[in-house]
Amino acid sequence: MTMDPTPVINVHGPIVSSSDLATHLAMFEAFGLREIGRIDRSIAQTAAIWGTTGQASREITMNTPGTPFGVRLVGFDPGSDVEIRQPSRGSDSEALKVIDFYTPDLAAARQQVEAAGFRFKDEIADYETAEGRFQEAHLWGPDGVVCALLAGDPAFFADLATVCDRTFSEPQSISGPVQNPEAILAFLEDVFGLGVIHQYQLEDPTFQALVGTASRVRLRAWNVGPRKTEPYFGIVHYGMPEGTQTSLFDVARPPARGLLGATLRVRDAAQIARKAGVAVVPAEVPGFGAALAVTVQGPNGAWFQALQEA
């Protein structure tokens, strides 16, 4: 018997709601991405895709050269005074938080980004997991968009990234803390047919300092996606005491600024729409061309935009 292919072809990467497209372009260029297209949308077109009221938008797609993976930037006009994440509340949940990049040389990668004018936090997490020893550095960029550099055993990352021989990989994962991991894991499986491809645990004071919380962090994480070597979603539970985290679910909605969601290439947008209980919207998407778009907010606060290319 022939099995139906999985609904998702791949995860393209994160979607950022930007108050300053030029600055975000410069930041992601420092991480090795390049612009591949842009488009201006009317108020009606923006409303159809994002459910906004009274906002036009400009959208820019960037890719890591030689890959189908990258970042989409959306600048809403007029913009919002609301920023989804604040550096002083690093443990807030139910919104995406971090775009991860693998680097084989943490010092060189950090130097390249900081030379472009974007500064990493002084704290560097240095921790052990069952898979080995890792280092992690965080940059809180414009609009509270966090980019992380991950370094560790190159043999291990050869199975967790597509680009491993440059200063930066593609946007390797899009992650965020949740208080109810079961809800988002079920959503990703039911709507997109995506399952867990990797799990890990972590308890380390240097990582807790990087998160920016006084509460003890006993992290459990599930990576969810089509395959391990391409971008995936990191579902993170900090294991903090009940009542110590604030949900950003109601804050994390367009046109609020920050790491808003992620793009998925899918085979059948109508099938995704039926499962999600939302509509299909025809759209011209830079880097994708004519497409059918389905946009839905998941239990983790992220806005998942599924695109079926014509």
Side-chain angles (χ1 to χ4, degrees), residues 23-55:
T23 301
H24 273 118
L25 273 168
M27 183 179 78
F28 286 113
E29 284 175 354
F31 280 91
L33 288 88
R34 297 293 179 263
E35 179 180 341
I36 62 169
R38 62 174 63 197
I39 195 170
D40 290 329
R41 301 193 191 282
S42 67
I43 290 175
Q45 290 169 332
T46 304
I49 295 172
W50 289 111
T52 48
T53 302
Q55 274 92 13

Side-chain angles (χ1 to χ4, degrees), residues 27-140:
M27 183 179 78
F28 286 113
E29 284 175 354
F31 280 91
L33 288 88
R34 297 293 179 263
E35 179 180 341
I36 62 169
R38 62 174 63 197
I39 195 170
D40 290 329
R41 301 193 191 282
S42 67
I43 290 175
Q45 290 169 332
T46 304
I49 295 172
W50 289 111
T52 48
T53 302
Q55 274 92 13
S57 60
R58 172 168 290 177
E59 183 178 311
I60 300 173
T61 300
M62 306 180 74
N63 271 17
T64 298
T67 79
F69 313 123
V71 175
R72 290 170 62 210
L73 307 175
V74 182
F76 293 99
D77 183 20
S80 172
D81 293 333
V82 177
E83 189 169 289
I84 298 171
R85 286 202 169 273
Q86 302 294 329
S88 60
R89 301 199 314 271
S91 63
D92 285 353
S93 61
E94 279 66 58
L96 293 177
K97 180 181 178 182
V98 180
I99 305 169
D100 290 316
F101 294 84
Y102 163 66
T103 178
D105 188 333
L106 183 62
R110 181 170 177 168
Q111 183 179 26
Q112 182 169 320
V113 174
E114 293 193 339
F118 303 95
R119 184 169 177 78
F120 284 84
K121 292 180 67 175
D122 291 335
E123 299 89 350
I124 296 179
D126 191 338
Y127 51 85
E128 291 273 1
T129 73
E131 289 86 3
R133 190 170 193 86
F134 301 96
Q135 289 186 309
E136 183 171 346
H138 283 188
L139 180 154
W140 279 81

